Every structure is written in C-alpha cells, then in structure tokens.
Amino acid sequence: MNISVRHRTIILLLFFAPALVLPFTSQAGQTPVQVKSLVTFEEVSTKVSGITWVHNNAHSPERFLPETVGSGCAFFDYDNDGWMDIYLVNSGPSDFFTPATPLKNALYRNNHDGTFTNVTDKAGVAGGTFGMGAAAGDYDADGWVDLYVTSYGRNILYRNNGNGTFTDASEKAGVGAQGWFTCAVWFDYDNDGKLDLFTSSFVDYDKSQITLCTDEKMSSRYYCVPRLFKPRPSRLFHNNGNGTFTDASKESGIADHPGKSFGAVATDVNNDGLMDLFVANDTMPNFLFINKGGGKFEEVGLGAGVAYSDAGKPRSGMGVDAADYDGDGWQDLFVANIDQEFFSLYHNQKDLTFTDEPGEIGSATQLLSGWGLKFFDYDNDGDTDFFLVNGHPDDLIEMRASRVSYKEPLLLFENTGRGFRNLSKQSGAVFAKDFSSRGMAVGDYDNDGDLDVLVSNNGEAPPLLRNDGGNRNNWLGLQLVATKSNSDAIGAIITWIAGGVKHSRLKTSGGSYLASHDPREVIGIGAQTRIDSVEIRWPSGKVDKLTNPPLKTYIKVVEGTSSTK
C-alpha cells in the first residue's frame, strides 16, 4: 500500500528538472534496446569548488615506502544538513619525516551551491600523524557520523560532538592502533546492531628497517617492493555499545593471518546474512574471510580462487570492491593489481568459489596500476558500472620500463548486460589526463541525483569530478535510518521493481582504497516513469516496503515504519 505522510520523510535537496526520455538498459542479462545518451565527468576547478588543499607525500631521496601509497579521502555528512562534506588525508610527522611547516588533513563543509569551505581547525580534525585513509561511520549511534583515520604511526578515532566539532576518542574507545594501517571498514560482523571496525595492516616497517633498493648501476634509488618486508596482522575491534571497543582480532581468527593488506570491503559472498571480508594483499595471497557466526572468521581465499593469479602466483593487490554486477543475486569481487599482473573481476559461482572474468577491464588495464575503484550506477539505468583510478607506485618507473608511466589515466566502464565496456574516451576531458591517483570516493555532493567522484592523488591536488547527465534517467535516493540494525544499515538488501524489471543491491561497506563513500543509496530506473515498489530487508530481519515512491528526490526510510510483509 502507499506510504502514509507520517511514515515518509522527504528531503527536498534539489531542483526538479523535467525528466528526459532516454533509452533504457534493462537488468543484466537482458539486451539493451538502444545506445544510451552520453554522461560525462567534469573536473571542477579549484576556483569553483574552493578546495585548495594539496597532498604532501613527504617525498625524499631516500624513498621511504609510506611516501608512495597514500592518501585517502571521504564523502560524509558531518553536520547533518543533508549535503556531503569532504575529508582529505595528508601525511605528517613520522620517524622518517619532519615537516618544515605543519601539515594538516582537511575537512571541507559543503555550502550547498557547489562550493566548499575549509573548517578543519574549527572542527578539530587536522590529524598530526602520517595519514593514510579515512572511514566514516556512526559508531555510537547518536545520529552524528564519526570518522576513523588510519596512519603510518597511530590511528585516530574522531567522535562527532554534534556541534561542528570532533573529539579524539582513540584511547578512550580503545582503537588507537599503533603501526602501519591502510584501509578501515565499519560493519556489524555479529549482527548485534552495533558498528564494529576492521582495519587492514600493511608491512612491519620503520626507519631502522630501511632497505637500499637501486637500479643495476646503483645510480638511482627507488621504492622497495613490499616483498622485502614482513607481514602484520590486521585488526578487528568489537563494539561494546558504550563508546568502547574490544580487540577481537585473535579470538575472531583475523590475527591468525598476517598480511600486507591494502584495500578491504565488507560484503556477504554466500548469502547467509553475515558480512564477510575481502582483503587485498600486496605480494601475498589475498584474503577472503568468511563470517562463520559466533564471532569467528575462516580464511578461504585459496579454495575460493581469489588468493592467487591463474598461474598460482601472488599479485600486488591494492584496491578492492564487491557488487552483484550481473544481477544474479550473488556478490562478485574485484581487485586491482600493479602493471603486468592483470586485474581480476571475480564472478561468484554460488558455492564459495569464483572465476576470474575481467573481460575488457583486463585488456584496458594491463599496463596500469590500480588503486581506488568502485562499482556504482553512474548513469542511473539500474545496472552496476565501474570507475577506476590508477598510478604506478614508483616515480622512477619510466627509467626502468618502456611502456609504463608513473602518472596514469582514470577509467570508466559501462555495464552492458553482457560485460563491461570502456567508455573513458567519450566520458569527459579528464580521462585524457594522467594522475598519481590513490584513493577514490563516490558521492552525490551536489544532490542532483547522480554520483560524483573524488580522487586523492599522491603529492598532488585532489580532483573533484562532477557527474553531468547521470540524472537524466529517473532515480530515487534512499537514506536508510536504522532503529534496530546497525546505524549505517550495512548489510541491508534493497530490491526495487520498475517496468516489470527487478533489481537488487546489498549495502556493502568499505571498498575502493583508503576511502569512504556517500552512505545514501541512489537507485536508477532508466527511462521508466514509476517505481512500482522498493523493499528494504534490514540486517535485523525487518522488512519495509514502499509502493510508488516519488522520483528524483531523496527520502528517509526509517526501519520498521513502512508497510511490511
């Protein structure tokens, strides 16, 4: 039945442009009937956005390894005004680097008009460590999104005070981990309704362990490969529900598998209602941690076929993500590697095994090194597309390899229903440029109904890419407000039907590299003029169903307040 007014909160965040009738590409597996209209990503100038911050990677002649693997970024709404703000992570003091002038992370408040204001100092989130990535999540379920910053040195948990400021709660909460940590993922691994925290750990490294890596003539020093350093176990923190966490790394089984871990994503690969973890490792086999319930994980990467290359060799796993790209109801996986190693698109065989089927993505990325990446529906046709940013970790690679560059292009792949097609060349001038890209976040910063992209570059300014044209297709934005499930609704399954075509999406967490994304879900329906129904199956087991919801707007869906079946 229709949602009553008191059961629906509509947030009017945008002007309503007339819907343009466009050809519709149906659910994966069905043949597109026409060629779709062009969507482009436009690089927003600094003068327009107001984002003047530039990353400092502490580049030195010694080439310490942390210099080349950062940094990250995040879209999140820190002030609850309904608009995505931006967080950017910088390097800082460490055992090998003393900045000549203080370096800061940056928090930019969204001004609702396409511009941003730097509020870092007022908010109290400047960092002060050699930062890596960021993950946003409301860990204390007070309605205000908190921020976890990973580092080479000490991780920081910033608790949102709800008044535009944050407090460093790292020690009080028990998550101020020491060492070298890269990605972080908020998710509820035991389905108790509270957000737990996973953070991937990279190699055992400090200044005393610096290794001299040079070319054959000893004339040039370059960054050492992680193969030369020892792995470290990642960390899993269980949320106690009182603002503190318990380190569950050992009892969960996570600590039994030291790695050289970069990207991580929480998803449910076996459809058992428990969130699993896929973790990329550099020069080591990737990990697939299957959630067995009872707070335990089992690492099955080898048996699942996602640990090694087809030749049985470990690769340089960096960015990862998960999505059901072909609409068969099972989560597929992606991991990006360094040049010549081939990237992997793992198709879920529904029996805890995967087959590597990269298709056109594989041929397009053979000479690239991939970091930030994300599955998302850039054109709102209902299918899951793919965006990838690249950059070689060694700034001297062009002296040693003829066809590989340090700075590399961005890539956009469209889901055709029969695989992915490279649309980069026709999707905007920014795809003709090269960057030293690392992190990448997606979010609708201008609230126009299509997802934009934020890229963090190593030692450079962060490009903000505005999606122009994705909102020509019809869409609905969902802000999921949990009452019993975890505060970010991680693990919720969203199913929508339009024009007789059924689509489904699992709300994952993490993904990409060193990044955190807009928590809202934008569901596209192409040229259809009505959504027949939307069903949200919450992690708690509750089911909410919306009938004939409005189009081209964002709505809040509060757990347990709509009609259910």
Side-chain angles (χ1 to χ4, degrees), residues 60 105 116 196 279 416 467 562:
S60 70
N105 301 342
F116 294 82
D196 308 302
V279 183
T416 67
N467 184 326
S562 75

Short mmCIF file of all heavy atoms in Angstrom, two decimals, residues 60 105 116 196 279 416 467 562:
data_model
loop_
_atom_site.label_atom_id
_atom_site.label_comp_id
_atom_site.label_asym_id
_atom_site.label_seq_id
_atom_site.Cartn_x
_atom_site.Cartn_y
_atom_site.Cartn_z
N SER A 60 61.17 12.06 -0.58
CA SER A 60 62.55 12.24 -0.17
C SER A 60 63.49 11.43 -1.06
O SER A 60 63.06 10.47 -1.71
CB SER A 60 62.74 11.78 1.28
OG SER A 60 62.62 10.37 1.37
N ASN A 105 45.35 17.40 7.67
CA ASN A 105 44.24 16.86 6.90
C ASN A 105 43.27 18.01 6.64
O ASN A 105 43.42 19.10 7.20
CB ASN A 105 43.55 15.73 7.65
CG ASN A 105 44.50 14.58 7.98
OD1 ASN A 105 45.57 14.46 7.38
ND2 ASN A 105 44.11 13.74 8.92
N PHE A 116 32.83 24.75 -1.37
CA PHE A 116 33.17 24.19 -0.07
C PHE A 116 34.00 25.18 0.74
O PHE A 116 34.73 26.00 0.17
CB PHE A 116 33.97 22.89 -0.23
CG PHE A 116 33.19 21.76 -0.86
CD1 PHE A 116 33.05 21.68 -2.24
CD2 PHE A 116 32.61 20.77 -0.07
CE1 PHE A 116 32.34 20.64 -2.82
CE2 PHE A 116 31.89 19.74 -0.64
CZ PHE A 116 31.75 19.67 -2.03
N ASP A 196 31.02 -2.47 14.21
CA ASP A 196 32.36 -2.90 14.58
C ASP A 196 33.35 -2.31 13.57
O ASP A 196 32.96 -1.68 12.58
CB ASP A 196 32.42 -4.44 14.59
CG ASP A 196 31.30 -5.03 15.43
OD1 ASP A 196 31.22 -4.70 16.62
OD2 ASP A 196 30.50 -5.82 14.88
N VAL A 279 39.96 -8.91 1.39
CA VAL A 279 41.10 -8.05 1.69
C VAL A 279 42.20 -8.28 0.66
O VAL A 279 42.62 -9.42 0.44
CB VAL A 279 41.64 -8.32 3.11
CG1 VAL A 279 42.79 -7.36 3.43
CG2 VAL A 279 40.53 -8.19 4.14
N THR A 416 27.14 -3.37 -19.79
CA THR A 416 26.28 -3.51 -20.96
C THR A 416 25.23 -4.59 -20.79
O THR A 416 24.37 -4.76 -21.65
CB THR A 416 27.12 -3.87 -22.20
OG1 THR A 416 27.67 -5.18 -22.03
CG2 THR A 416 28.24 -2.86 -22.41
N ASN A 467 29.48 14.57 -11.96
CA ASN A 467 28.72 13.76 -12.91
C ASN A 467 27.70 14.64 -13.63
O ASN A 467 26.80 15.20 -12.99
CB ASN A 467 28.02 12.62 -12.15
CG ASN A 467 27.28 11.65 -13.05
OD1 ASN A 467 26.73 12.02 -14.08
ND2 ASN A 467 27.25 10.39 -12.64
N SER A 562 7.35 1.49 7.64
CA SER A 562 6.50 1.40 6.45
C SER A 562 5.73 0.09 6.50
O SER A 562 5.88 -0.71 7.42
CB SER A 562 7.35 1.45 5.18
OG SER A 562 8.02 0.23 4.98
#
